[in-house]
Amino acid sequence: GDRNILLGYDWENEIQNSIDKSDFAILLISQNFISSEYCSITELNEFIKRNTNDDFIFIPIFLRDCEYNKLEEVVKKQFFVA
């Protein structure tokens, strides 16, 4: 996770490198995720692009009550509500 990024490192580059190296992602989606422009737009768009172009898969898990209908590309996938 991003808490393992060392102080002084480029966190955005480190996160992107981790996404690029992964074969799948489990997205724990909460209202905080949706409210974060970086998570709900930047990271999510990267997952969607990789899912379309590669054999990459992401599994959305919606935590607590959140407005997941705002994430149109995610609700097209089979998802789990916790």
Side-chain angles (χ1 to χ4, degrees):
D2 58 1
R3 293 184 182 171
N4 294 325
I5 298 172
L6 300 174
L7 294 174
Y9 278 70
D10 179 345
W11 61 268
E12 190 169 15
N13 189 44
E14 293 292 316
I15 291 172
Q16 186 60 50
N17 286 338
S18 293
I19 291 171
D20 291 343
K21 292 177 185 176
S22 63
D23 296 320
F24 67 94
I26 298 173
L27 305 180
L28 302 176
I29 301 175
S30 65
Q31 193 58 46
N32 288 342
F33 180 99
I34 294 169
S35 297
S36 166
E37 188 174 305
Y38 187 80
C39 291
S40 67
I41 296 174
T42 305
E43 286 183 342
L44 186 58
N45 284 339
E46 185 64 25
F47 293 134
I48 291 167
K49 181 177 80 177
R50 290 218 33 227
N51 180 249
T52 303
N53 299 329
D54 301 333
D55 288 333
F56 182 84
I57 187 168
F58 65 89
I59 302 164
I61 299 176
F62 292 96
L63 306 174
R64 294 177 260 136
D65 293 330
C66 62
E67 299 174 31
Y68 59 81
N69 57 339
K70 291 182 176 181
L71 304 175
E72 294 177 19
E73 290 297 319
V74 176
V75 297
K76 291 180 183 178
K77 306 289 182 195
Q78 182 66 25
F79 61 85
F80 179 78
V81 178

